[in-house]
Amino acid sequence: MVGGLGTRVGRLCERDKMTRPTVGRLVWAGAPVPPHGLQRMKNAIHPEGDMHTPYGARESLAVATIAASQVLSETAARTRVGEGTCVGSRFPG
């Protein structure tokens, strides 16, 4: 299942109109994160909050990350047409 637990939590938040406005940052790792899942979770947290999706958390220490705001504004449209999921920029070193 793409997105796993985070996708289910996002659906629940959307369905029940649940918000956590005191949450400013979330980290979602361990599964590919679809743009609709990022949007649902961003809608549930502080309006200026963001999510990060580190890549490599399962295989090793995280080696790259991307913010949900960047996915939603820059890469989601390309993902929807089959260009893959952007995992962001690698960490220095």
Side-chain angles (χ1 to χ4, degrees):
M1 167 183 274
V2 174
L5 179 63
T7 298
R8 285 177 267 181
V9 171
R11 274 194 221 121
L12 178 68
C13 289
E14 183 178 69
R15 184 192 74 202
D16 294 349
K17 297 180 180 25
M18 294 184 342
T19 60
R20 296 294 179 259
T22 59
V23 174
R25 183 176 298 148
L26 289 174
V27 176
W28 187 347
V33 184
H36 63 271
L38 292 173
Q39 187 65 64
R40 285 177 178 143
M41 293 304 293
K42 275 192 58 73
N43 290 344
I45 65 174
H46 190 278
E48 294 177 21
D50 214 341
M51 295 177 60
H52 285 268
T53 59
Y55 174 78
R58 219 185 264 189
E59 297 82 5
S60 64
L61 293 175
V63 296
T65 190
I66 191 166
S69 56
Q70 186 178 0
V71 170
L72 295 170
S73 67
E74 298 175 22
T75 68
R78 294 175 69 175
T79 297
R80 284 188 205 96
V81 296
E83 291 189 37
T85 299
C86 181
V87 297
S89 300
R90 68 181 177 89
F91 290 114

